[in-house]
Amino acid sequence: EDFSKLTLDQKRKAPILEIPVRSINLGILKTGNRRVGKFKVKNKGQNALEVRRVINNNKELSVRTAKLSIAGGKSSDIIVELNTKNLSEGDYKKSFTVQTNDPENSFIILILSWKVQK
């Protein structure tokens, strides 16, 4: 999206993305287990915040949004499910990107970390 052509009024009413916690540690898991994590997403602007897409290149992570459109002043969750089925022992740190229509925060990187033990 090209946000450079927004008028002053459009900028004032634009959605404002707020994700208070951008990194989650899912703890210690055994191989083959699953765990769910949630990132709280708030829209502090007036217009609706649209989640345009989620860029996730991690086979062990499944990412979904509770809502693709969040009204001004409201909040929702980005839900991440981890499946350790094909992971060997060790420490892991993975990220994915969320694209929105917030002119100031159109791309946000969120991070998950965990440890796999037998």
Side-chain angles (χ1 to χ4, degrees), residues 24-37 60-61 80-85 87-92 112-118:
I24 295 176
N25 186 328
L26 295 174
I28 300 172
L29 293 95
K30 302 240 183 253
T31 302
N33 284 355
R34 295 175 181 259
R35 184 150 305 157
V36 174
E60 61 276 349
L61 298 178
V80 184
E81 184 177 347
L82 166 65
N83 184 351
T84 63
K85 181 180 177 182
L87 298 180
S88 56
E89 282 188 280
D91 294 323
Y92 290 85
L112 285 146
S113 58
W114 68 91
K115 183 173 188 165
V116 175
Q117 291 181 340
K118 284 190 177 183

Side-chain angles (χ1 to χ4, degrees), residues 6 9 13 30 36 39 51-52 65 71 75-76 87 95 110:
L6 292 179
D9 188 51
K13 292 180 180 177
K30 302 240 183 253
V36 174
F39 291 93
V51 176
R52 298 285 191 224
T65 57
S75 56
S76 185
L87 298 180
S95 65
L110 301 175

Side-chain angles (χ1 to χ4, degrees), residues 5-15 45-47 103:
K5 296 183 172 104
L6 292 179
T7 66
L8 191 57
D9 188 51
Q10 288 172 320
K11 287 181 183 178
R12 209 171 53 248
K13 292 180 180 177
Q46 292 181 13
N47 290 340

Side-chain angles (χ1 to χ4, degrees), residues 90-109:
D91 294 323
Y92 290 85
K93 189 173 191 177
K94 302 285 182 163
S95 65
F96 62 94
T97 304
V98 178
Q99 182 181 7
T100 70
N101 65 332
D102 176 347
E104 301 297 321
N105 290 300
S106 54
F107 288 92
I108 298 294
I109 296 172

